[in-house]
Amino acid sequence: LMNRERLYLDPALTLARVARKLGLPQARLSQLLNDNNGTTFKQYIAQLRVEETQRLLLEQPGQTLEAIAEAAGFQSLSTFYAAFKKANGCTPALYRQRFLSQ
């Protein structure tokens, strides 16, 4: 569902909305994410959004970091920077610089 419909791009996405789409109770969906991915819903969505920003950073080198964060579903730059740095160990700008200079 996430890959097909790319729901994670919606900054207002909630566990309740995804659970409704899947026809599952929220608690069950939360448990499935914990059991299968070892993450919370918020962590899972952040991971998908970071992966989207990684793609956009390389495919759209002229696009601003702010525009890329927004396009990937992040509601704030601070959340974007924190999630990106946690996942990659570097800032989005450094990530882009490293991969585009290869």
Side-chain angles (χ1 to χ4, degrees):
L1 180 68
M2 284 297 167
N3 290 331
R4 187 179 65 243
E5 294 187 25
R6 298 171 43 136
L7 298 176
Y8 59 88
L9 298 178
D10 178 357
L13 184 65
T14 63
L15 177 66
R17 182 171 154 217
V18 176
R20 273 192 309 275
K21 275 189 125 3
L22 293 171
L24 294 171
Q26 288 182 54
R28 180 68 178 134
L29 177 56
S30 181
Q31 188 63 47
L32 286 170
L33 283 169
N34 281 321
D35 291 347
N36 294 310
N37 292 5
T39 64
T40 66
F41 176 74
K42 286 186 178 190
Q43 291 168 332
Y44 176 62
I45 297 304
Q47 174 189 343
L48 294 172
R49 289 175 177 164
V50 166
E51 290 170 5
E52 180 72 7
T53 61
Q54 290 170 323
R55 184 184 67 75
L56 292 173
L57 284 167
L58 303 180
E59 289 180 3
Q60 300 176 10
Q63 192 66 263
T64 66
L65 296 177
E66 293 83 2
I68 286 174
E70 185 178 321
F74 284 100
Q75 288 185 319
S76 74
L77 278 179
S78 60
T79 303
F80 164 56
Y81 281 109
F84 193 94
K85 191 164 185 175
K86 181 178 180 182
N88 294 289
C90 65
T91 65
L94 185 56
Y95 179 91
R96 178 188 264 171
Q97 180 183 358
R98 283 180 182 165
F99 283 94
L100 290 180
S101 65
Q102 292 180 359

